[in-house]
Amino acid sequence: MSKFAAKAISALFAVALGFLATSTMANTDNDAIAERIKPVGSVCVEGDDCGGAAAPAAAGGARSGADVYSASCAACHASGVLDAPKFGTSDWAERANKGLDTLVSNAINGINAMPPRGTCASCSDDEIKASIEHMLDSAK
Ligand code: HEC
C-alpha cells in the first residue's frame, strides 16, 4: 500500500468516526438532557408569572390549614410567644369576635408583632385563611 493510500484511508476513517460521533450525539434527545440538567427547584414568589401557573399551585396545590399552621404559624402560635393568640385556647375565641375577614386581612398584612403572612410568603390568601380557621377551630 502506498503511503498516500494509507493516509487517505486513515483520513476517511477519521471522517467516518467523526460522523459516527456527531450522529450519536444528534440522536440523543436534547429535551431529555435539558430536563436532566435543569435546576432542581425554582423560587416563584406570589405575583411572579411562574410559567403560567399561580405560585401556590406550582407548589403542588393548596396546602391544608393544618399543614400551613404547622409549617409557618406554630412557631409563634403554639406557645403564644410575643402574645400571639395561642393554639387550643380561648385566645382564639376572643379573636373570633373580630370576624374572619378582619383576621385574614390582618394576618396577610401583618399586625403589631404578627409578621405579614406569618412569614409564609408563598402562602396564598386561601391558605392563610385555612390556617386561621384551623386555629379558630382549636379554641372550641
Ligand atoms: C413571628 C411570630 C408569628 C408567626 C410566625 C405567626 N404569627 Fe400570627 N400573630 C403573632 C402575634 C405576636 C400576634 C398578635 C398580634 C397582636 O394582636 O398584637 C398574632 C396574631 C395573629 C392573628 C390575629 C390577628 C388579629 O387581628 O387579631 C392571626 C389571624 C394570625 N396571627 C395568623 C397567623 C397565621 C395564619 C400564621 C401562619 C401563616 C401566623 N399568624 C404566624 C405572631 C406570629
Side-chain angles (χ1 to χ4, degrees), residues 53-65 67-68 122-124 126-127:
R63 288 158 282 190
S64 74
D67 285 350
V68 173
S122 68
C123 285
S124 69
D126 282 346
E127 287 170 334

PDB file of all heavy atoms in Angstrom, residues 53-65 67-68 122-124 126-127:
ATOM      1  N   ALA A  53     -48.592  29.180  35.777  1.00  0.00           N
ATOM      2  CA  ALA A  53     -49.333  28.711  36.949  1.00  0.00           C
ATOM      3  C   ALA A  53     -49.177  29.709  38.091  1.00  0.00           C
ATOM      4  O   ALA A  53     -48.139  30.339  38.229  1.00  0.00           O
ATOM      5  CB  ALA A  53     -48.819  27.351  37.386  1.00  0.00           C
ATOM      6  N   ALA A  54     -50.199  29.846  38.889  1.00  0.00           N
ATOM      7  CA  ALA A  54     -50.109  30.709  40.064  1.00  0.00           C
ATOM      8  C   ALA A  54     -49.110  30.103  41.035  1.00  0.00           C
ATOM      9  O   ALA A  54     -48.957  28.884  41.091  1.00  0.00           O
ATOM     10  CB  ALA A  54     -51.477  30.838  40.718  1.00  0.00           C
ATOM     11  N   ALA A  55     -48.410  30.951  41.782  1.00  0.00           N
ATOM     12  CA  ALA A  55     -47.330  30.474  42.643  1.00  0.00           C
ATOM     13  C   ALA A  55     -47.718  29.294  43.537  1.00  0.00           C
ATOM     14  O   ALA A  55     -47.038  28.275  43.525  1.00  0.00           O
ATOM     15  CB  ALA A  55     -46.787  31.625  43.472  1.00  0.00           C
ATOM     16  N   PRO A  56     -48.781  29.403  44.310  1.00  0.00           N
ATOM     17  CA  PRO A  56     -49.089  28.296  45.214  1.00  0.00           C
ATOM     18  C   PRO A  56     -49.436  27.014  44.462  1.00  0.00           C
ATOM     19  O   PRO A  56     -49.053  25.939  44.878  1.00  0.00           O
ATOM     20  CB  PRO A  56     -50.286  28.796  46.014  1.00  0.00           C
ATOM     21  CG  PRO A  56     -50.263  30.273  45.832  1.00  0.00           C
ATOM     22  CD  PRO A  56     -49.697  30.506  44.457  1.00  0.00           C
ATOM     23  N   ALA A  57     -50.116  27.155  43.315  1.00  0.00           N
ATOM     24  CA  ALA A  57     -50.479  25.972  42.556  1.00  0.00           C
ATOM     25  C   ALA A  57     -49.226  25.269  42.053  1.00  0.00           C
ATOM     26  O   ALA A  57     -49.162  24.051  42.031  1.00  0.00           O
ATOM     27  CB  ALA A  57     -51.378  26.357  41.391  1.00  0.00           C
ATOM     28  N   ALA A  58     -48.185  26.052  41.698  1.00  0.00           N
ATOM     29  CA  ALA A  58     -46.949  25.459  41.212  1.00  0.00           C
ATOM     30  C   ALA A  58     -46.310  24.603  42.295  1.00  0.00           C
ATOM     31  O   ALA A  58     -45.584  23.674  42.016  1.00  0.00           O
ATOM     32  CB  ALA A  58     -45.984  26.554  40.761  1.00  0.00           C
ATOM     33  N   ALA A  59     -46.587  24.918  43.540  1.00  0.00           N
ATOM     34  CA  ALA A  59     -46.007  24.159  44.637  1.00  0.00           C
ATOM     35  C   ALA A  59     -46.805  22.887  44.904  1.00  0.00           C
ATOM     36  O   ALA A  59     -46.535  22.181  45.864  1.00  0.00           O
ATOM     37  CB  ALA A  59     -45.942  25.016  45.893  1.00  0.00           C
ATOM     38  N   GLY A  60     -47.786  22.594  44.103  1.00  0.00           N
ATOM     39  CA  GLY A  60     -48.491  21.324  44.229  1.00  0.00           C
ATOM     40  C   GLY A  60     -49.860  21.419  44.872  1.00  0.00           C
ATOM     41  O   GLY A  60     -50.221  20.586  45.687  1.00  0.00           O
ATOM     42  N   GLY A  61     -50.600  22.447  44.522  1.00  0.00           N
ATOM     43  CA  GLY A  61     -51.954  22.557  45.045  1.00  0.00           C
ATOM     44  C   GLY A  61     -51.983  23.194  46.411  1.00  0.00           C
ATOM     45  O   GLY A  61     -50.954  23.332  47.061  1.00  0.00           O
ATOM     46  N   ALA A  62     -53.171  23.589  46.837  1.00  0.00           N
ATOM     47  CA  ALA A  62     -53.299  24.287  48.111  1.00  0.00           C
ATOM     48  C   ALA A  62     -52.980  23.357  49.281  1.00  0.00           C
ATOM     49  O   ALA A  62     -53.343  22.189  49.280  1.00  0.00           O
ATOM     50  CB  ALA A  62     -54.709  24.840  48.247  1.00  0.00           C
ATOM     51  N   ARG A  63     -52.256  23.904  50.248  1.00  0.00           N
ATOM     52  CA  ARG A  63     -51.964  23.138  51.458  1.00  0.00           C
ATOM     53  C   ARG A  63     -53.140  23.283  52.420  1.00  0.00           C
ATOM     54  O   ARG A  63     -53.848  24.276  52.401  1.00  0.00           O
ATOM     55  CB  ARG A  63     -50.689  23.681  52.103  1.00  0.00           C
ATOM     56  CG  ARG A  63     -49.433  23.336  51.314  1.00  0.00           C
ATOM     57  CD  ARG A  63     -48.281  24.267  51.620  1.00  0.00           C
ATOM     58  NE  ARG A  63     -48.460  25.544  50.912  1.00  0.00           N
ATOM     59  CZ  ARG A  63     -47.508  26.471  50.839  1.00  0.00           C
ATOM     60  NH1 ARG A  63     -46.355  26.292  51.423  1.00  0.00           N
ATOM     61  NH2 ARG A  63     -47.728  27.591  50.184  1.00  0.00           N
ATOM     62  N   SER A  64     -53.309  22.315  53.263  1.00  0.00           N
ATOM     63  CA  SER A  64     -54.414  22.382  54.222  1.00  0.00           C
ATOM     64  C   SER A  64     -54.075  23.392  55.314  1.00  0.00           C
ATOM     65  O   SER A  64     -52.905  23.733  55.524  1.00  0.00           O
ATOM     66  CB  SER A  64     -54.650  21.003  54.838  1.00  0.00           C
ATOM     67  OG  SER A  64     -53.611  20.723  55.754  1.00  0.00           O
ATOM     68  N   GLY A  65     -55.116  23.843  56.014  1.00  0.00           N
ATOM     69  CA  GLY A  65     -54.900  24.775  57.111  1.00  0.00           C
ATOM     70  C   GLY A  65     -53.960  24.199  58.157  1.00  0.00           C
ATOM     71  O   GLY A  65     -53.097  24.895  58.689  1.00  0.00           O
ATOM     72  N   ASP A  67     -51.578  21.980  57.680  1.00  0.00           N
ATOM     73  CA  ASP A  67     -50.208  21.947  57.152  1.00  0.00           C
ATOM     74  C   ASP A  67     -49.554  23.315  57.253  1.00  0.00           C
ATOM     75  O   ASP A  67     -48.404  23.439  57.671  1.00  0.00           O
ATOM     76  CB  ASP A  67     -50.211  21.525  55.670  1.00  0.00           C
ATOM     77  CG  ASP A  67     -50.454  20.036  55.510  1.00  0.00           C
ATOM     78  OD1 ASP A  67     -50.428  19.326  56.533  1.00  0.00           O
ATOM     79  OD2 ASP A  67     -50.679  19.603  54.370  1.00  0.00           O
ATOM     80  N   VAL A  68     -50.298  24.347  56.826  1.00  0.00           N
ATOM     81  CA  VAL A  68     -49.743  25.697  56.857  1.00  0.00           C
ATOM     82  C   VAL A  68     -49.477  26.103  58.303  1.00  0.00           C
ATOM     83  O   VAL A  68     -48.436  26.677  58.622  1.00  0.00           O
ATOM     84  CB  VAL A  68     -50.698  26.707  56.173  1.00  0.00           C
ATOM     85  CG1 VAL A  68     -50.196  28.132  56.348  1.00  0.00           C
ATOM     86  CG2 VAL A  68     -50.833  26.380  54.693  1.00  0.00           C
ATOM     87  N   SER A 122     -45.007  32.335  50.551  1.00  0.00           N
ATOM     88  CA  SER A 122     -45.538  31.534  49.452  1.00  0.00           C
ATOM     89  C   SER A 122     -46.989  31.123  49.691  1.00  0.00           C
ATOM     90  O   SER A 122     -47.587  30.471  48.855  1.00  0.00           O
ATOM     91  CB  SER A 122     -44.682  30.281  49.256  1.00  0.00           C
ATOM     92  OG  SER A 122     -44.831  29.423  50.373  1.00  0.00           O
ATOM     93  N   CYS A 123     -47.531  31.466  50.876  1.00  0.00           N
ATOM     94  CA  CYS A 123     -48.915  31.077  51.159  1.00  0.00           C
ATOM     95  C   CYS A 123     -49.898  31.940  50.379  1.00  0.00           C
ATOM     96  O   CYS A 123     -49.779  33.162  50.368  1.00  0.00           O
ATOM     97  CB  CYS A 123     -49.215  31.227  52.649  1.00  0.00           C
ATOM     98  SG  CYS A 123     -48.489  29.940  53.681  1.00  0.00           S
ATOM     99  N   SER A 124     -50.864  31.303  49.784  1.00  0.00           N
ATOM    100  CA  SER A 124     -51.932  32.058  49.118  1.00  0.00           C
ATOM    101  C   SER A 124     -52.873  32.617  50.188  1.00  0.00           C
ATOM    102  O   SER A 124     -52.839  32.187  51.349  1.00  0.00           O
ATOM    103  CB  SER A 124     -52.713  31.138  48.181  1.00  0.00           C
ATOM    104  OG  SER A 124     -53.456  30.210  48.951  1.00  0.00           O
ATOM    105  N   ASP A 126     -55.946  32.060  50.431  1.00  0.00           N
ATOM    106  CA  ASP A 126     -56.807  30.958  50.875  1.00  0.00           C
ATOM    107  C   ASP A 126     -56.097  30.070  51.888  1.00  0.00           C
ATOM    108  O   ASP A 126     -56.720  29.564  52.827  1.00  0.00           O
ATOM    109  CB  ASP A 126     -57.251  30.111  49.671  1.00  0.00           C
ATOM    110  CG  ASP A 126     -58.375  30.785  48.894  1.00  0.00           C
ATOM    111  OD1 ASP A 126     -58.970  31.746  49.429  1.00  0.00           O
ATOM    112  OD2 ASP A 126     -58.657  30.358  47.759  1.00  0.00           O
ATOM    113  N   GLU A 127     -54.802  29.874  51.681  1.00  0.00           N
ATOM    114  CA  GLU A 127     -54.055  29.028  52.621  1.00  0.00           C
ATOM    115  C   GLU A 127     -53.925  29.720  53.978  1.00  0.00           C
ATOM    116  O   GLU A 127     -54.015  29.079  55.025  1.00  0.00           O
ATOM    117  CB  GLU A 127     -52.675  28.681  52.042  1.00  0.00           C
ATOM    118  CG  GLU A 127     -52.771  27.673  50.901  1.00  0.00           C
ATOM    119  CD  GLU A 127     -51.471  27.478  50.143  1.00  0.00           C
ATOM    120  OE1 GLU A 127     -50.632  28.408  50.123  1.00  0.00           O
ATOM    121  OE2 GLU A 127     -51.288  26.407  49.557  1.00  0.00           O
TER     122      GLU A 127
END
